[in-house]
Amino acid sequence: MIKVLVTGGKGQLAQCIQSISNDYPSLDFVFLGSSDLDISNKKEVENYFSKNHFDYCINCAAYTAVDKAEEELEIAKKVNVTGAKSLAIACKKNNVILIHISTDFVFDGTAKSPYTEEDTTNPISVYGKTKRDGELEITSNLPQYFIIRTSWLYSEFAGNFVKTMLRLSKEREELSVVDDQTGCPTYAKDLAEVILKIIDSQSKKFGIYHYSNQGQITWYDFAKEIFKQSKADINLYKTDSKTFKTLATRPNYSVLNTSKIHSLLNLEPIQWEKSLEKCLKKIN
């Protein structure tokens, strides 16, 4: 059996992993929330790893409140940077392969074509900076890692854009959504499948990878498709980032190039509309 530790066990990605874990009988999972293991506490992490044997650690633990991070820099750093470092050090000491989840927010959004793994990171928000710094802690402390950058994650679990749109469509007659930020939504269950396939194949092609669903759209396009597929009765309007002000600056363009994960690991991303359809069926 391959022993797999999943941190951030209460989040949507960990819940997606748990929901498909029975499809991988050769993998034996342990899911831990922040109350079970504080990844920012180096001693606690060291002790836990020394007492329990794992082959892989999937780090789903993250501070992801993008706007709140602007005011809670230290808390975001604690989880996203210190936590990543603690896990990297413990994984190295105990010969565990780390799979760490990162984000499109490590880029500044000035590109005109999808970002590759080799493109220079230049985050423009506290959240993005802490996630980039977490990546650097892993790459400098650990030889055996997969860092998977993803974007616009949603699922039937926890809070996310899809569930918010569905709720608002029942509460309001009209809604305005920004149309000047382009990226690609990713169904967390698709990402979960990708992670478990990497483990199941026991690939040694370590490094940084990009994974999102296929296509590029704005948040307005995404909302429009959610309402179309769910047959919601709501009037949708376009707005822009200047009108819809937020504490954190978002990248205007953060589409990820996924050709590396396809060519090296033979994992082909699914078209975003199809994945949205799968998720909406689960929610309904």
Side-chain angles (χ1 to χ4, degrees):
M1 286 290 264
I2 298 169
K3 291 275 287 180
V4 183
L5 170 66
V6 183
T7 60
K10 306 276 194 304
Q12 65 172 335
L13 180 56
Q15 288 184 71
C16 283
I17 292 169
Q18 199 156 13
S19 74
I20 60 168
S21 58
N22 288 342
D23 299 340
Y24 293 84
S26 64
L27 309 184
D28 181 24
F29 294 91
V30 173
F31 293 86
L32 297 181
S34 55
S35 55
D36 309 307
L37 180 68
D38 176 6
I39 63 164
S40 68
N41 185 324
K42 192 173 169 241
K43 274 225 157 69
E44 196 179 318
V45 172
E46 256 177 30
N47 287 340
Y48 187 80
F49 273 73
S50 66
K51 287 174 185 165
N52 300 276
H53 163 74
F54 295 102
D55 301 293
Y56 287 84
C57 171
I58 307 170
N59 183 27
C60 301
Y63 182 105
T64 57
V66 178
D67 290 314
K68 264 174 94 177
E70 297 295 316
E71 299 174 324
E72 296 185 346
L73 168 64
E74 290 311 314
I75 302 170
K77 262 170 80 172
K78 207 175 153 192
V79 182
N80 295 345
V81 187
T82 311
K85 185 180 182 179
S86 302
L87 287 173
I89 291 167
C91 284
K92 187 180 181 184
K93 196 174 172 184
N94 296 278
N95 201 27
V96 178
I97 296 168
L98 178 63
I99 300 178
H100 174 77
I101 310 306
S102 194
T103 173
D104 56 327
F105 275 50
V106 299
F107 298 113
D108 60 16
T110 57
K112 298 287 181 278
S113 59
Y115 283 98
T116 71
E117 291 81 354
E118 283 70 46
D119 284 328
T120 307
T121 57
N122 184 33
I124 53 174
S125 64
V126 165
Y127 167 67
K129 282 171 189 158
T130 60
K131 289 300 286 179
R132 188 270 321 270
D133 292 349
E135 286 187 10
L136 294 173
E137 290 293 357
I138 290 163
T139 56
S140 59
N141 281 294
L142 189 61
Q144 296 187 323
Y145 63 82
F146 293 92
I147 291 172
I148 303 175
R149 295 181 184 139
T150 191
S151 60
W152 299 19
L153 219 55
Y154 70 91
S155 70
E156 59 267 34
F157 303 107
N160 56 68
F161 186 78
V162 171
K163 288 173 81 176
T164 300
M165 291 300 106
L166 291 174
R167 176 175 56 78
L168 291 175
S169 72
K170 291 181 177 79
E171 295 172 1
R172 298 185 188 181
E173 289 177 6
E174 58 180 52
L175 188 67
S176 296
V177 177
V178 291
D179 194 41
D180 59 353
Q181 291 168 23
T182 301
C184 191
T186 307
Y187 183 25
K189 200 165 272 182
D190 291 344
L191 177 58
E193 288 277 9
V194 161
I195 293 165
L196 299 194
K197 279 173 183 169
I198 290 170
I199 296 173
D200 207 34
S201 70
Q202 295 190 55
S203 172
K204 295 291 181 274
K205 292 174 182 171
F206 303 119
I208 296 174
Y209 289 90
H210 289 171
Y211 182 85
S212 69
N213 286 134
Q214 283 295 88
Q216 46 182 290
I217 56 166
T218 68
W219 288 108
Y220 168 83
D221 299 326
F222 192 22
K224 191 177 170 186
E225 187 64 22
I226 293 164
F227 296 146
K228 183 185 155 189
Q229 288 195 21
S230 63
K231 297 182 170 58
D233 184 20
I234 185 167
N235 295 313
L236 183 65
Y237 301 101
K238 293 177 182 179
T239 186
D240 57 32
S241 306
K242 285 188 183 122
T243 311
F244 188 77
K245 280 193 169 34
T246 54
L247 279 175
T249 309
R250 267 89 170 152
N252 284 336
Y253 181 91
S254 63
V255 181
L256 300 173
N257 182 319
T258 57
S259 57
K260 181 182 172 185
I261 203 163
H262 185 202
S263 61
L264 282 190
L265 301 178
N266 199 28
L267 296 163
E268 189 166 7
I270 299 160
Q271 195 63 27
W272 72 270
E273 296 97 330
K274 283 185 180 171
S275 290
L276 175 61
E277 200 179 323
K278 286 193 296 183
C279 181
L280 288 173
K281 276 179 185 161
K282 287 281 181 193
I283 291 170
N284 295 326

